Amino acid sequence: MSVLRNEQERRAEHERRVLVIDDDEDGAESIAEVLEVQGFAVDLAHDSKGALAKVEEFKPQVALVDLRLGRESGLDLIVELKDSHPDVISVVITGNADRESAIGALRRGAYDYLTKPVNLEELFQALGRSFDLVRLTLDNKRMIRELEAAKDQAEKLALNDSLTGLANRYSFQTQLDLAINHAKRLGKLAGVLILDLDGFKLINDTHGHVIGDELLKGIARRLKETVRSTDTVARLGGDEFAIILANVDKPENAARPAELILKNLKQPIDVGGLALEVGASIGVSLSPLDSEDRGELIRRADVALYAAKALGPGSLQYYDAELDRRARIQRELKQDLKRAFSKDEFCLYYQPQVDLESNKVIGIEALLRWNHPHRGVLAPGHFIDAAESSGLIIELGRWVIRTACRQSQVWSQKGLQPLRMAVNISPRQLRDTKLFDTVDRALADSGMDPAHLELELTENAVAADEEQASIVLHKLRALGLHLAIDDFGTGYSSLSRLKEYPVDRLKIDRTFIDNLTDDPGDQSICYAAVNLASSLGLGVIGEGVETRAQLEYLRGIGCDEGQGYLFAQPLPAADFERWLAEWNGQTAAEPAEPATAESEPLAAAS
Ligand code: C2E
Ligand code: MG
Ligand code: MG
């Protein structure tokens, strides 16, 4: 098969193919005849479209182009050819011995020109020159290919990375083979540490490659200083470093150098007066415990590195089979999610938000559910991280926003009292440049009043890129919708920043409500959150209210609203409607009367 293809390629290279493009069919035909007698392979086209199709199919090296192609211009065709098939050499034929148009054609990329009526000798000369150029170009390309192969070979032969002087990828592999064998003979371990720098790309992008290169050299030096002289430090490429630890007695002993590396890399590195800071994460695998095969050992260190990075900057992780299993499950989950999305397996549940003073429902939170064909209805905890890291969250989140807006509008058309609809926005969605358009479009398409839409963001989503977040949030808020900080208290948003964001509400995280009635720490946190909200002029909701006692506590400290199983679980749309009717019926019967007895059930709370 490949022999056949090579043979075809070789023949194709030696065949001289000319495409004659002329609207004068007879003229084109007679040129073709002459050329065929001379051993050229010839094909014909009579307009631009036909010519472009023929170029694809016949693959001429040279095109003879008549400048007047009926109503079309041969000049335009030349430009188009130059763009789409830069290797095809154009030779123009001008009808009126017009020097101007010939020069114009040469400027636009034609290689040569002939005048009509075509003089055969000139034609062969022009074609001769054209095919010389074809050969030259081919030779040139071949030479470049050979040079690159030679460079590759040279790198293999060289032992050191030219920038840092560390072992390069090839000598790392050889050294690793040696270390694996050595450890085996001595009944010891060989360790592979793979290192990923945090934030190198950013430094490279902001300070430029020269600084980036110097930094890599600095890191190389620091790594060298940190490990024993019998260990091998290598640069595998880019900002990827690896270390071979020789003669390790027991697995724990690989941790000491790894931790030392992490610690030393945290110290700023001086590059031309700049004190640059990069951290790193490290994945570790050990031979023979994890594998005695070099490739597998490296792969496992990589798996560990991936897990380390998931733990956050500056993490260290040993390989274990569980990591592989988890990685596999994640991969499968991501694929399953994609399938589920295309099969419409997602739906929204709705949970009420209740005003604690009047006992009236004033808001709804839309919560995503996956109707899994085998596992039943799954809450986001089972899949939202995978959707986030695979990027599916963008499309899925778009669907959530659209669906929630549509549902809100359906309810308002049915005559339900207007309720605020809260939609969760993930960190990745917040970074999506199309978020604003998505929301804007969903509002327009559904006809929903923007004042009824609330977007819930976590502190960390906002903190991840404060500047960008602030811009988007202000734009969104200008649409007239509301913004809430979800899971308030669990993230690391700085309080001083809070007042700069255009938010309307804080949602106190469920973890502070759980033990609210007997944990003084949680009580202080809730109290502080309610007061903070009040002094900033924000609304405040307690999440995860499950008991009367929690409810009373929140009411007592002046919390505006509550959300939780005490009122209702998240429900499918139809169930929510029924629940709401029942709730409204009961609160109308006994309005705004704050419940007192601990045992007394709340309206519709069962
Ligand atoms: P969240 O936004 O803080 O939502 C509140 C979560 O608390 C919901 O979990 C809700 O079912 C649960 N909850 C409410 N009341 C109680 C209670 O009294 N007791 C207990 N134990 N739990 C209660 P859910 O539906 O499993 O959602 C979990 C998280 O998933 C949400 O936390 C939110 O961060 C995320 N999420 C949900 N829907 C979406 C969505 O459409 N898009 C995005 N990006 N994230 C979503
Ligand atoms: Mg939420
Ligand atoms: Mg929450």
Side-chain angles (χ1 to χ4, degrees), residues 419-479:
L419 296 172
R420 194 176 66 214
M421 175 70 82
V423 176
N424 292 284
I425 301 293
S426 82
R428 184 124 175 202
Q429 281 177 279
L430 190 60
R431 277 184 278 130
D432 174 23
T433 49
K434 298 211 189 82
L435 177 65
F436 176 84
D437 291 335
T438 302
V439 174
D440 192 29
R441 181 94 43 86
L443 284 166
D445 289 351
S446 64
M448 178 186 183
D449 178 355
H452 292 152
L453 181 63
E454 179 154 287
L455 302 181
E456 296 191 358
L457 313 135
T458 59
E459 296 165 82
N460 292 347
V462 176
D465 185 350
E466 296 193 335
E467 226 168 289
Q468 161 69 10
S470 174
I471 295 171
V472 184
L473 296 185
H474 276 98
K475 260 180 86 184
L476 283 168
R477 187 98 170 322
L479 285 173

Side-chain angles (χ1 to χ4, degrees), residues 333-343 346 390 392 395:
L333 179 59
K334 283 176 191 171
Q335 278 162 9
D336 206 19
L337 275 173
K338 243 193 230 152
R339 182 201 53 75
F341 186 65
S342 69
K343 292 234 150 106
F346 292 97
S390 70
L392 182 72
E395 273 182 277

Side-chain angles (χ1 to χ4, degrees), residues 456 486-487 507 509 543:
E456 296 191 358
D486 205 351
D487 307 343
K507 298 190 73 182
D509 191 65
E543 277 193 294

Side-chain angles (χ1 to χ4, degrees), residues 371-398:
N371 272 315
H372 194 282
H374 310 302
R375 297 164 65 195
V377 179
L378 298 180
H382 293 276
F383 59 85
I384 209 86
D385 286 348
E388 180 86 3
S389 64
S390 70
L392 182 72
I393 194 72
I394 301 292
E395 273 182 277
L396 189 55
R398 211 170 278 163

